[in-house]
Amino acid sequence: MQRREFLGFSIAAGLSAAGLPGCSDSGPLRFGIHPWIGYEPLYLANDFNWLPATVALQPGSSATDSMEGLLSGALDGAALTLDETIRIWSRGLELVVVAVADVSAGADVLMVSAGIDELAALKGRRIAVELNGVSGIMLLKILEVAGLGPNDVIKVDMPVSQHAEAWSRGEVDASVCYEPTASVIESLGGVRLFDSSDVPETIFDVLVVTREAAEKHRRPVSDLVGAHFAGLQHLVRNLHDSVYRVADRQGIDPDEVRSALATVMLPDLAANQRYLTAAGPIESMAGSLSRLMLAEGMIDRDPAIQRLSDASFLPSRVP
């Protein structure tokens, strides 16, 4: 269930340490976060001290850390993909989406070997995919578009971090992956045949909190969402400064940050208001993904998701 990590494997520094008290009148909202370009607005908000004392970011190395923290009660919220949110629901913990951080618009890629020039040609091919991760969801959508069934391809289940090695050994014909793996495979002769821009508004990164936090601790949740939009505004209005801050934090080249930003859409306030309506894209996609994941055995039971989105925590305006 590893969430793709943004370019490097570093854990953001300078954030609150683990072991903070639970969200209550005397303690902050404990919010799990890990490196990914769509979560950078919150990292930026932390840099500029725009996170009030009501919110404490708790860094991890991957989504697994955040998911385990939510299930154990150590966290009150986290930054996750929509499919990861569904997995948590299926295990009995209700979450509420309070903001959409980003929408994949090319970040998730199907790399293929020479000779595969259309999706239908994937039939009978060996496809590297991390079935319990976001690439597993991407593969389901690819097969749907191709008009192929799950049994029409040979799924080689492995972490995305291992795809390039499997490719170099000739063990797979295609890979559902993301950066930096996609570029490595491309350097080995792979071709980009399909990406998430071909299935718009399918793969979402969201900010979620537990139902209890949403109902009992509204101010901290509103503070969290407000900080996200403050960081997003800085990123948009001061792109040069933001790119170098991200590059410095991750220890990477600024051009890699710009490339990563080009593969996602970072929704503004108006877009969030549309996404989080009662019958909007988040609710609709959650229902669609739940059915797909249940049919493919990615979850053990129907989460029966209701009232997933809540736009009431969005600020009335962004200064």
Side-chain angles (χ1 to χ4, degrees):
M1 295 181 200
Q2 296 291 322
R3 174 64 168 92
R4 53 181 183 260
E5 295 178 354
F6 170 46
L7 302 176
F9 295 93
S10 63
I11 299 176
L15 302 182
S16 303
L20 290 166
C23 180
S24 67
D25 293 338
S26 60
L29 181 86
R30 304 161 303 172
F31 193 82
I33 191 170
H34 59 278
W36 172 244
I37 189 63
Y39 308 150
E40 280 302 324
L42 277 176
Y43 285 113
L44 289 170
N46 187 76
D47 286 349
F48 289 102
N49 295 315
W50 293 334
L51 277 166
T54 55
V55 180
L57 296 185
Q58 296 198 25
S61 61
S62 71
T64 297
D65 296 331
S66 293
M67 295 170 76
E68 291 176 350
L70 286 166
L71 290 167
S72 70
L75 294 176
D76 306 299
L80 300 173
T81 55
L82 187 56
D83 64 285
E84 289 160 351
T85 300
I86 292 169
R87 294 177 201 276
I88 295 293
W89 264 79
S90 73
R91 295 180 64 178
L93 179 63
E94 291 191 13
L95 299 177
V96 179
V97 176
V98 295
V100 176
D102 73 81
V103 186
S104 181
D108 299 278
V109 185
L110 171 66
M111 303 298 298
V112 299
S113 57
I116 301 177
D117 54 8
E118 60 179 358
L119 293 182
L122 290 171
K123 188 171 183 177
R125 303 287 188 151
R126 302 162 300 172
I127 304 177
V129 58
E130 187 172 5
L131 290 174
N132 284 330
V134 71
S135 64
I137 298 300
M138 186 67 178
L139 178 60
L140 292 180
K141 300 304 293 185
I142 290 168
L143 296 178
E144 187 176 80
V145 173
L148 299 174
N151 295 325
D152 287 330
V153 299
I154 302 168
K155 296 184 282 290
V156 183
D157 187 13
M158 66 176 67
V160 169
S161 59
Q162 297 177 15
H163 286 200
E165 290 184 10
W167 187 284
S168 67
R169 294 192 298 263
E171 296 174 356
V172 296
D173 307 299
S175 162
V176 183
C177 59
Y178 33 80
E179 296 297 352
T181 299
S183 290
V184 174
I185 291 176
E186 191 169 30
S187 72
L188 296 171
V191 178
R192 296 172 187 250
L193 182 63
F194 189 91
D195 65 42
S196 51
S197 67
D198 296 306
V199 282
E201 299 192 350
T202 296
I203 298 177
F204 293 89
D205 279 282
V206 292
L207 307 186
V208 301
V209 297
T210 63
R211 180 76 67 192
E212 180 180 10
E215 293 178 349
K216 297 182 179 180
H217 307 290
R218 295 191 60 84
R219 179 192 166 197
V221 176
S222 294
D223 289 343
L224 169 78
V225 176
H228 164 77
F229 281 103
L232 178 60
Q233 180 172 259
H234 181 82
L235 192 156
V236 172
R237 293 184 178 178
N238 301 277
L239 183 60
H240 182 79
D241 174 76
S242 298
V243 164
Y244 278 87
R245 284 179 182 274
V246 175
D248 183 63
R249 176 165 44 247
Q250 292 288 338
I252 58 176
D253 189 272
D255 285 341
E256 293 180 89
V257 179
R258 296 187 184 94
S259 296
L261 285 168
T263 65
V264 296
M265 188 271 283
L266 303 174
D268 61 10
L269 178 58
N272 262 269
Q273 290 168 338
R274 178 175 70 85
Y275 285 135
L276 299 184
T277 55
I282 290 295
E283 299 280 354
S284 176
M285 185 52 64
S288 175
L289 287 180
S290 294
R291 291 188 291 273
L292 279 172
M293 293 169 72
L294 185 62
E296 292 302 310
M298 292 182 171
I299 51 178
D300 295 327
R301 66 183 182 88
D302 184 353
I305 294 176
Q306 297 180 351
R307 297 187 299 125
L308 176 62
S309 303
D310 191 342
S312 68
F313 295 100
L314 297 175
S316 58
R317 65 184 182 88
V318 178

